[in-house]
Amino acid sequence: MGQSEFWLAIVVMAVVTWLSRALPFVLMRKSTIFGRLASGRFVILGPALLVSMTVVVVYSDLQQATGTTSVLSYFCGLAAAGVCARLTRNAGFAVLAGMAAYGAALLALPA
């Protein structure tokens, strides 16, 4: 792959990523049908998707884990994310806290 193809791929991925995140907000503002998804029963969809993706990723990685360090690191990250989610009620902060605790545990625990 040449230099121009590389940068074109980066730009295309950036545009697609931006559209996938911005388009739902634009549609919700202009459409009453999509606006209803942000309230009522569907308000749980965002956190539920985050939890389901986390469970799939962590479960598959834990099956392949060979040492106790990697397993303990996952549990440190999960515990930090759970505590932060409980205290702040913010999924974004919980994800950041979980990632920080996971990284800190990888650095602090013996290999």
Side-chain angles (χ1 to χ4, degrees), residues 2 13 15 22-23 25 28-29 41-42 47-48 57 59 63 70 78 81 85 95 100 102 104 109 111:
M13 286 188 289
V15 169
L23 198 58
F25 293 109
M28 282 184 199
R29 255 188 273 149
R41 285 184 256 168
F42 297 107
V57 168
Y59 179 74
Q63 281 185 326
S70 59
L78 287 172
V95 169
Y102 173 76
L109 293 173

Side-chain angles (χ1 to χ4, degrees), residues 41-55 91:
R41 285 184 256 168
F42 297 107
V43 78
I44 192 70
L45 281 178
L49 287 172
L50 284 174
V51 169
S52 63
M53 287 188 299
T54 301
V55 167

Side-chain angles (χ1 to χ4, degrees), residues 15-105:
V15 169
V16 168
T17 301
W18 180 79
L19 282 175
S20 70
R21 281 153 176 77
L23 198 58
F25 293 109
V26 171
L27 290 175
M28 282 184 199
R29 255 188 273 149
K30 294 186 178 193
S31 172
T32 58
I33 294 171
F34 286 111
R36 289 184 200 151
L37 292 176
S39 63
R41 285 184 256 168
F42 297 107
V43 78
I44 192 70
L45 281 178
L49 287 172
L50 284 174
V51 169
S52 63
M53 287 188 299
T54 301
V55 167
V56 168
V57 168
V58 170
Y59 179 74
S60 64
D61 283 349
L62 283 177
Q63 281 185 326
Q64 297 173 1
T66 55
T68 58
T69 300
S70 59
V71 174
L72 286 175
S73 297
Y74 275 110
F75 284 116
C76 287
L78 287 172
V83 168
C84 186
R86 180 80 173 159
L87 294 176
T88 65
R89 303 267 190 226
N90 187 319
F93 286 145
V95 169
L96 290 175
M99 289 178 6
Y102 173 76

